[in-house]
Amino acid sequence: MGEDRSYAGFIKWMAASLLAGVLLTVLFVVVVDPYRLFRLVDIAGFNAVKPRPDHYQSEIKLAGARALRPAVVLMGNSRVDVGIDPDSRQLGGAKRSAYNLAIPGTGVGTSREQFDRLRAAGAAPSTLLLGVDFFDFLLDPNSAEAPAKKPPAGLAGLRWKVDTVFSLNALLDAAKTLRIQNDPDAGTMTGRGFNPLFDYLRFARQDGYYSIFLQRAQENARNFSLAPHGIVRTRSDSSAEWRDLGGLLDAAAREKTETHLLIYPYHAQLMAMLEQTGLWPVFEQWKLRLLREVARLNAAHPEARVVLWDFSGYGALQCEAIPAKGDLVHGTRWYWESGHFKSALGERMLERVFGAAGAEPQPEGFGYRLDAANWNENRDRIARERRACLAAEPAMFRDAAAIVAAFQARHPNKPNGVSADIRTGALPY
Amino acid sequence: MLFNSFSFILLFLPITALGYFALARHSQVLAAGWLAAASLFFYGWWSVEYIPLLLASIGFNYLAGRRIGHGDGPAKLRWLALAVTANLLLLCYFKYADFFISGVNAIGGTEWPLWHVVLPIGISFYTFTQIAFLVDTYQGKVKEYRFVHYLLFITYFPHLIAGPVLHHAEMMPQFERKESYRLSAANVAIGLSIFAIGLAKKVLIADNLSPHANFFFNQSDPQGLLVAWGGVLAYAFQLYFDFSGYSDMAIGISRIFGIRLPLNFDSPYKSVNIIEFWRRWHMTLSRFLRDYLYIPLGGGRRGNVRRYLNLMLTMLLGGLWHGAGWNFAVWGMLHGAYLMINHAWAALAARLRLPTGALSWRLAGVALTFAAVCFAWVFFRATDFSRAVTIVTAMCGNDGVELPESLAAHLHALRPVLDKLGVTFYVGGGTRFVQTWLWVLVGAAICFTMPNTRQIMRRYEPALDYRATQGGSPTLPSVPLAWLPNRRWAVVVSVLMLACLLSLGRPAEFLYFQF
């Protein structure tokens, strides 16, 4: 009997301490609020600075956008996430509330879903800046269409709400929130969804920009060498990515949202690797197809306001010199590495798009408003820029070729189009 | 439904247990029926479409068992042969049809299309369990034939998907016993504690090792010695914590219902030789292979050559049981070869009177056994044979020793020494390298210095065939932990449980579900 009592006592104590643990955890996460979901307490030095979430970023950012109901929304992948600051003078100066809804590692499908959810919440923006990434559209023309992934519905759709209050990630992020208040190198997310990538500053100090560029270049050499060389499926002359883009543009037009499509300003090293791996002609086909998509939209919605901006090229900004090996002193002004630009360059992009008064003078050709009529002119521009960049930075082109050649020598039997996940939206560290 | 999911822990398990003990007050048969029905629901959560197959298999084997049990003479043997053949054919169809067709295509140059048969979850386990039942029936070891108990014996949800592989004779008396139907605070306390330990092994350790092991085995670039060993060790510990965690959870859940399951793991990586390893790793499968394959083949009774042949054949088939692929065959044959060498060495060591019981011998034995097991895991896990060879080559140091460049800055005075030794540095992957090795060290520390679940729960007969002396003499000293039903342990278990619940956000399947 006494033994039974000790087992019953054990169960009671276990249940009570478990319940207490659950309640304390939830209370701690709600008060510290690492994802800005509750906004009960906001004290500088305690929890004002928030960490960048690793999970449920789409849902967390969407909740932030819903709360702020911004006039301008920025969408895209990590290039926009770390590259365009919604607190920019260009947006703030014009008193236009903006939010960065870009999600690393995602394609247009995610942007479309987010726009639909904003619209459903009555928070459709008046202006949309959408970064479109060439690499998201690459596919094997003969491959079968993958079934569309349905977003979680019902209880599963609410799972993120539980996990952002009661999970190890939420608990650790709450603890991290307390720890990073005075850490200048912490990975954070601003109240407007921007990722300033402060954590890269530490890598840059320790390893130098040369190493960061080199690591990205090696990944690009692999990904580009293995990448398929198509942008549409032969059978349908389309793909899920194109359908998502069309659907998003249609939805934006119906909401009378002014839309700016941005072709990213890839660094010259990355552009050179596109050439080395035979992807350059595909890149041009892709731009033409984007033009076709804009033309289709204008025909379907004469009132639509959509502009295609080509920020790609080899201009003075994209041709920024890569610091030398072992150089831990000199940094870069415009790029983190060849795939990701800094917010300083993002600011230049916004100046180009919004053309605000007082903006710094733009280098000629940076941000080309592309249409069918000036297609050849734009090609000539890029060719001109390339000649100048090659003359200024011959080693950059040589190194890019060498890195691609080294990968292809190690993998001689891997033809293009073999199952590489080409999405370079993820950051290398 | 996964053991490591909120739906199982917060809904299925409490509802099933409450229903079981409530019905048991009125009728044991009703309670057993409820548990069998709940088990079918549990299975149906995975694949409703395979419930008819499971029920047909149970019905067929039950009837065949009755025929065998009540028959005599040659008819009894004919029924056994027929039923075992039917079970093996069913397993072969679902598991090996495509393997067979691709083999024929490769050898004969034919182009027969593959059937792309989907493997019903748990089929390997419930087929083996029923083959054992048929053989036991033939040998006259089966006394109980109540259908509801047989149905429960096969479908019983703690073991249905990934074992342990059960013997009819060890389960039926428990389903008959009145005490099994009475809610007991002792069983609940002990069961929940074992379950919490198993859950922690899975979600706190194995699931944290998993991304590092997966990354290593899926990447295609060559790697140096340290990267290769890091990746392989991450997988070795992931597999152990995943599968032994599952087994602990099964044992713990079953104990709540008053049913003891057999032990499946007993610190296998502490084994001093490969023979002992197979007595401590997936013990119920080893028992099955020994009783229903190795011994019927003749075991060691017909001389050494025949014994070695039987060992090799048993391990080869054991390998192929895990999956239809050459990798599994190579893994099985490697272990067959290890066992042959071990038996030969044991005979030689005995003849030479080597002091193999000494601590230094035993430690060397543990290290060698663990290394051999890790080499074999490469073939078990690698995506293809050539990838496995690349990894093994790197583990032997043929690709040199490489470290991430980001570590170089922290090496200070060591850097020139490493340069002199030919250690090179590569760009990127520093975080992955450090995290992989940190998790490997965590896994190793727990594996080699902590007592296992059986040892922690040793005062409370945690498993069916528990014996205090099980597992041979201790190879390594371990932290002395012994569970007691007191407040301190209640808090420890609740903290463990809280950490697990916090980690259930993205439940990952158990590795052995694929077999």
Side-chain angles (χ1 to χ4, degrees):
Chain A
M1 199 64 181
E3 203 165 74
D4 270 357
R5 267 207 303 276
S6 75
Y7 287 116
F10 175 92
I11 294 167
K12 279 180 199 157
W13 264 86
M14 198 182 91
S17 39
L18 183 59
L19 187 65
V22 170
L23 293 175
L24 280 174
T25 304
V26 171
L27 185 69
F28 178 62
V29 172
V30 168
V31 169
V32 176
D33 192 16
Y35 310 126
R36 284 193 185 85
L37 294 174
F38 305 102
R39 300 171 192 255
L40 300 174
V41 179
D42 186 15
I43 301 171
F46 171 66
N47 72 337
V49 178
K50 308 290 186 184
R52 181 174 63 242
D54 290 330
H55 303 92
Y56 299 115
Q57 204 173 110
S58 184
E59 288 83 354
I60 290 166
K61 278 193 168 187
L62 205 56
R66 276 193 194 132
L68 291 178
R69 306 181 86 79
V72 182
V73 163
L74 313 168
M75 288 182 177
N77 59 16
S78 62
R79 306 191 209 285
V80 173
D81 180 51
V82 306
I84 305 184
D85 186 352
D87 281 316
S88 150
R89 277 181 294 134
Q90 293 301 312
L91 300 168
K95 305 273 184 232
R96 305 163 82 175
S97 151
Y99 196 90
N100 187 326
L101 254 180
I103 308 297
T106 62
V108 188
T110 302
S111 303
R112 180 186 181 178
E113 192 187 317
Q114 286 175 324
F115 190 88
D116 287 344
R117 289 169 72 179
L118 280 180
R119 200 177 49 167
S126 59
T127 305
L128 168 65
L129 264 74
L130 175 66
V132 279
D133 203 333
F134 165 58
F135 304 105
D136 288 346
F137 288 78
L138 289 176
L139 50 78
D140 177 355
N142 299 317
S143 61
E145 191 84 58
K149 256 189 190 172
K150 284 185 186 163
L155 278 179
L158 298 176
R159 181 63 186 263
W160 77 274
K161 289 197 172 184
V162 176
D163 283 354
T164 47
V165 176
F166 184 76
S167 70
L168 199 58
N169 290 324
L171 183 64
L172 293 176
D173 281 342
K176 194 197 271 183
T177 304
L178 303 183
R179 187 165 48 80
I180 64 170
Q181 294 304 307
N182 298 308
D183 180 357
D185 293 341
T188 60
M189 189 173 88
T190 69
R192 295 189 180 278
F194 175 60
N195 169 10
L197 214 58
F198 291 142
D199 36 338
Y200 256 45
L201 295 172
R202 184 184 293 129
F203 299 134
R205 272 201 311 274
Q206 288 175 353
D207 302 345
Y209 277 91
Y210 176 87
S211 292
I212 301 178
F213 269 80
L214 179 61
Q215 187 183 342
R216 169 60 76 196
Q218 287 175 343
E219 287 168 12
N220 285 344
R222 176 185 184 279
N223 292 338
F224 297 0
S225 298
L226 300 177
H229 277 42
I231 53 168
V232 289
R233 292 203 162 73
T234 312
R235 193 178 291 178
S236 62
D237 191 36
S238 188
S239 71
E241 208 71 15
W242 289 111
R243 283 192 293 278
D244 283 329
L245 179 62
L248 173 53
L249 293 178
D250 284 332
R254 280 195 296 273
E255 293 294 320
K256 301 194 180 354
T257 298
E258 179 185 326
T259 304
H260 297 269
L261 289 179
L262 312 178
I263 296 172
Y264 292 121
Y266 305 114
H267 187 268
Q269 185 196 53
L270 187 151
M271 300 282 277
M273 292 177 109
L274 283 184
E275 296 175 28
Q276 295 292 331
T277 50
L279 282 169
W280 189 266
V282 192
F283 186 43
E284 293 206 315
Q285 284 168 28
W286 174 73
K287 286 187 193 176
L288 279 171
R289 178 81 186 210
L290 281 177
L291 276 175
R292 209 173 104 186
E293 195 58 42
V294 172
R296 182 201 63 77
L297 183 81
N298 284 325
H301 306 274
E303 76 291 355
R305 291 170 298 157
V306 57
V307 183
L308 176 61
W309 296 93
D310 187 0
F311 283 95
S312 72
Y314 290 92
L317 302 180
Q318 296 98 325
C319 196
E320 181 176 32
I322 300 169
K325 185 175 184 181
D327 182 354
L328 302 182
V329 178
H330 296 100
T332 54
R333 183 175 177 194
W334 309 117
Y335 285 89
W336 293 109
E337 31 77 2
S338 64
H340 293 87
F341 49 91
K342 295 184 172 178
S343 59
L345 191 62
E347 186 71 13
R348 291 296 184 94
M349 292 167 71
L350 292 176
E351 286 169 5
R352 184 72 186 93
V353 170
F354 294 114
E360 290 188 38
Q362 297 288 327
E364 193 191 343
F366 181 69
Y368 203 85
R369 190 169 170 154
L370 193 60
D371 57 40
N374 62 16
W375 168 256
N376 285 325
E377 207 177 294
N378 189 43
R379 290 187 77 197
D380 293 343
R381 175 206 40 110
I382 293 174
R384 259 195 326 275
E385 288 177 356
R386 186 185 185 283
R387 280 194 295 277
C389 182
L390 180 60
E393 298 289 338
M396 185 197 298
F397 285 80
R398 267 201 314 273
D399 290 348
I403 291 167
V404 171
F407 175 82
Q408 292 180 345
R410 281 203 311 274
H411 303 273
N413 299 321
K414 298 235 165 152
N416 286 330
V418 175
S419 83
D421 184 359
I422 192 73
R423 290 189 179 191
T424 50
L427 293 156
Y429 277 85
Chain B
M1 199 180 297
L2 290 164
F3 289 169
N4 51 327
S5 65
F6 282 117
S7 46
F8 178 84
I9 296 170
L10 301 181
L11 293 173
F12 180 84
L13 185 57
I15 292 171
T16 305
L18 289 175
Y20 174 75
F21 289 114
L23 286 172
R25 287 182 179 182
H26 307 288
S27 153
Q28 286 189 19
V29 175
L30 265 182
W34 163 263
L35 204 47
S39 299
L40 286 171
F41 175 83
F42 175 84
Y43 186 80
W45 190 274
W46 287 105
S47 52
V48 179
E49 62 270 33
Y50 287 115
I51 286 186
L53 178 73
L54 172 64
L55 289 176
S57 169
I58 290 170
F60 170 79
N61 282 296
Y62 177 73
L63 291 175
R66 286 188 70 93
R67 289 280 183 172
I68 295 165
H70 294 110
D72 50 18
K76 195 171 167 171
L77 187 60
R78 269 202 301 276
W79 270 105
L80 175 69
L82 173 78
V84 170
T85 307
N87 276 294
L88 290 177
L89 282 176
L90 185 77
L91 195 59
C92 284
Y93 167 73
F94 281 107
K95 211 159 178 171
Y96 306 106
D98 283 342
F99 180 57
F100 176 74
I101 294 169
S102 37
V104 170
N105 285 344
I107 294 165
T110 53
E111 289 185 1
W112 292 357
L114 298 182
W115 293 354
H116 299 294
V117 182
V118 178
L119 185 71
I121 193 161
I123 191 169
S124 306
F125 288 95
Y126 69 69
T127 305
F128 267 33
T129 303
Q130 294 188 102
I131 289 175
F133 160 72
L134 295 170
V135 176
D136 286 353
T137 308
Y138 178 78
Q139 292 173 345
K141 295 176 187 168
V142 172
K143 307 285 178 218
E144 214 260 340
Y145 286 101
R146 200 177 299 187
F147 180 72
V148 71
H149 287 167
Y150 183 76
L151 179 69
L152 181 57
F153 160 58
I154 301 301
T155 60
Y156 189 43
F157 73 90
H159 87 109
L160 176 60
I161 309 291
V165 182
L166 302 178
H167 270 310
H168 187 265
E170 65 197 4
M171 297 307 292
M172 286 308 189
Q174 297 196 74
F175 293 140
E176 280 284 290
R177 213 176 45 201
K178 276 184 186 167
E179 295 81 51
S180 302
Y181 295 86
R182 243 179 256 138
L183 180 60
S184 145
N187 283 339
V188 173
I190 293 165
L192 282 177
S193 300
I194 297 174
F195 178 76
I197 295 172
L199 188 60
K201 282 181 173 179
K202 165 67 179 162
V203 302
L204 300 183
I205 307 171
D207 287 353
N208 281 307
L209 283 159
S210 157
H212 304 300
N214 290 344
F215 178 83
F216 170 74
F217 278 96
N218 294 338
Q219 70 175 3
S220 60
D221 287 338
Q223 56 265 308
L225 180 112
L226 290 174
V227 175
W229 270 102
V232 172
L233 288 172
Y235 179 67
F237 290 122
Q238 181 206 355
L239 186 60
Y240 168 68
F241 283 109
D242 189 283
F243 196 19
S244 74
Y246 170 85
S247 299
D248 285 350
M249 288 158 83
I251 289 170
I253 294 162
S254 188
R255 180 62 174 262
I256 293 171
F257 292 93
I259 306 289
R260 285 181 173 82
L261 294 184
L263 203 63
N264 222 11
F265 286 87
D266 191 17
S267 297
Y269 289 154
K270 288 180 182 170
S271 305
V272 293
N273 56 49
I274 213 77
I275 297 170
E276 192 180 304
F277 174 81
W278 280 106
R279 287 178 189 149
R280 292 169 158 219
W281 176 276
H282 203 175
M283 293 153 75
T284 56
L285 178 69
S286 299
R287 182 179 70 172
F288 180 92
L289 292 173
R290 182 197 64 202
D291 293 348
Y292 300 101
L293 193 58
Y294 177 69
I295 290 173
L297 282 170
R301 300 188 302 273
R302 298 182 189 172
N304 276 340
V305 174
R306 187 62 193 270
R307 173 167 55 169
Y308 291 157
L309 196 66
N310 291 340
L311 274 175
M312 181 58 86
L313 196 60
T314 303
M315 296 315 292
L316 172 65
L317 291 174
L320 285 173
W321 174 86
H322 286 85
W326 292 111
N327 276 24
F328 291 115
V330 171
W331 174 76
M333 286 194 289
L334 261 177
H335 273 282
Y338 290 165
L339 285 169
M340 286 161 59
I341 294 166
N342 196 167
H343 278 287
W345 166 252
L348 182 69
R351 224 179 8 245
L352 297 176
R353 295 184 183 181
L354 296 175
T356 51
L359 183 65
S360 55
W361 274 90
R362 294 180 69 79
L363 287 175
V366 170
L368 183 64
T369 305
F370 183 59
V373 168
C374 285
F375 269 99
W377 284 144
V378 175
F379 292 90
F380 191 81
R381 171 62 178 83
T383 42
D384 56 61
F385 190 76
S386 63
R387 172 82 186 139
V389 172
T390 306
I391 294 170
V392 166
T393 308
M395 288 168 79
C396 295
N398 282 17
D399 293 341
V401 183
E402 288 188 329
L403 282 171
E405 198 164 82
S406 50
L407 288 186
H410 307 285
L411 293 172
H412 307 295
L414 263 180
R415 178 73 195 256
V417 180
L418 293 176
D419 286 340
K420 221 175 247 179
L421 290 171
V423 176
T424 54
F425 293 85
Y426 60 90
V427 174
T431 308
R432 172 72 64 190
F433 181 89
V434 171
Q435 286 185 355
T436 302
W437 275 100
L438 278 178
W439 276 109
V440 163
L441 289 176
V442 168
I446 295 171
C447 239
F448 291 110
T449 67
M450 299 289 281
N452 60 34
T453 313
R454 173 187 69 77
Q455 291 162 329
I456 293 171
M457 305 299 295
R458 62 185 174 272
R459 295 178 185 169
Y460 300 91
E461 297 182 34
L464 189 63
D465 46 0
Y466 168 78
R467 292 190 302 278
T469 54
Q470 205 161 23
S473 53
T475 318
L476 303 168
S478 57
V479 178
L481 280 179
W483 184 91
L484 286 169
N486 59 23
R487 286 179 186 178
R488 189 181 298 171
W489 272 100
V491 174
V492 168
V493 173
S494 68
V495 168
L496 208 55
M497 201 66 173
L498 178 65
C500 294
L501 291 177
L502 282 166
S503 305
L504 289 187
R506 291 177 182 193
E509 276 192 19
F510 292 91
L511 292 176
Y512 256 66
F513 281 15
Q514 62 188 296
F515 306 129

